[in-house]
Amino acid sequence: MATWLVTGANRGIGLELCRQIAARGDTVIGTARDPGAAAALRETGARVEALDVTDPASIDALGARLRGEPLDGLINNAGIGSFGGGVADLTAEHLARYFGVNASAPILVVRALLPSLRAGAGKKIAHVTSLMGSIADNGSGGAYGYRASKAALNMLNASLALELRREGFTCLVLNPGWVKTDMGGPGAPTLVDASVRGLLAVIDRSGPDVSGRFFNHDGRALPW
Ligand SMILES: NC(=O)c1ccc[n+]([C@@H]2O[C@H](COP(=O)([O-])OP(=O)(O)OC[C@H]3O[C@@H](n4cnc5c(N)ncnc54)[C@H](OP(=O)(O)O)[C@@H]3O)[C@@H](O)[C@H]2O)c1
């Protein structure tokens, strides 16, 4: 039985990741900014831990609480996304917020949990990125903060994969599709359970030979 940790697990894709991981009999730790308001997460059978990914002290405290507990896999899922506005609307605060949550936080979570991940047998690290972080696929522009922060996450993972490959880690960036969640909105074509089934299948079958790669939830390799 493997042990997983999923960030941003109180709703959306993170909640469904915990539900499906628990349903197959693995142990799952789901993080939430407000554990007291994470009833749906608790109902999945997940253990709930507090984490605000914008607060480095909160990230380090999570690492300290888990010290000595092996983790087989980490899924960095917490993220923010809204897509409007042109270059004239950008502010330093907006860009810093996007880079903070979507790029800096996932790699700082890896740093904090690395002792637990090294102690686990699974050695899987997956980040939920977005096709909107693909420079090659950007045909419509906009979403400056979101697109750039996900592209940065993809690059951070590329270096992480190279650094950790000799230890047997598999580090992936995964696009969940356009998913019907609070972020994706009611018009999204992909249901959350189908997206998550795909994401978990990709994580399960991927090994160190594909570490650093960018995959769609259906297993397709995506362009940078
Ligand atoms: N839905 C889509 O169509 C789509 C497409 C491509 C990529 N993605 C990516 O998939 C991931 C999950 O998206 P989703 O659709 O499930 O979004 P969602 O329904 O908006 O959920 C986002 C999750 O991230 C958490 N989060 C946000 N800021 C946080 C912070 N500072 N600290 C801790 N947790 C924080 C939220 O917690 P709170 O409840 O506390 O805010 C929530 O649990 C994101 O990385 C997103 O970029 C989604």
Side-chain angles (χ1 to χ4, degrees):
M1 196 171 71
T3 301
W4 298 82
L5 187 139
V6 180
T7 68
N10 54 298
R11 59 191 170 100
I13 292 168
L15 177 62
E16 183 62 20
L17 280 164
C18 288
R19 191 175 287 132
Q20 291 191 22
I21 291 169
R24 71 189 193 184
D26 284 352
T27 298
V28 61
I29 302 167
T31 74
R33 279 197 272 203
D34 181 2
L41 175 56
R42 259 175 238 289
E43 277 168 26
T44 68
R47 169 176 143 201
V48 182
E49 290 284 349
L51 176 65
D52 181 339
V53 300
T54 56
D55 178 1
S58 174
I59 295 175
D60 289 344
L62 177 70
R65 289 199 300 281
L66 291 180
R67 203 58 48 86
E69 287 188 53
L71 273 181
D72 293 285
L74 163 66
I75 305 178
N76 268 317
N77 162 78
I80 51 171
S82 66
F83 310 111
V87 67
D89 306 309
L90 285 176
T91 63
E93 290 73 20
H94 172 90
L95 289 170
R97 198 161 70 87
Y98 272 80
F99 275 88
V101 175
N102 290 347
S104 306
I107 202 76
L108 293 174
V109 169
V110 170
R111 187 187 68 170
L113 297 181
L114 203 47
S116 291
L117 289 162
R118 281 183 164 138
K123 300 203 163 43
K124 299 269 174 104
I125 297 172
H127 311 277
V128 183
T129 185
S130 172
L131 184 59
M132 292 182 75
S134 166
I135 294 172
D137 185 74
N138 186 356
S140 55
Y144 285 83
Y146 187 71
R147 285 188 186 280
S149 61
K150 292 295 191 181
L153 172 61
N154 293 355
M155 179 59 91
L156 288 161
N157 184 63
S159 287
L160 182 71
L162 288 167
E163 182 178 343
L164 297 184
R165 185 172 285 166
R166 66 177 174 279
E167 294 181 51
F169 276 91
T170 305
C171 306
L172 305 170
V173 275
L174 303 176
N175 172 44
W178 181 15
V179 187
K180 213 184 280 274
T181 61
D182 293 339
M183 187 187 297
T190 308
L191 295 178
V192 68
D193 63 318
S195 169
V196 165
R197 250 196 321 279
L199 293 173
L200 289 175
V202 175
I203 294 168
D204 287 342
R205 70 168 170 262
S206 297
D209 55 317
V210 294
S211 193
R213 302 274 300 274
F214 181 14
F215 291 116
N216 203 35
H217 63 97
D218 60 8
R220 213 163 20 101
L222 293 172
W224 298 111

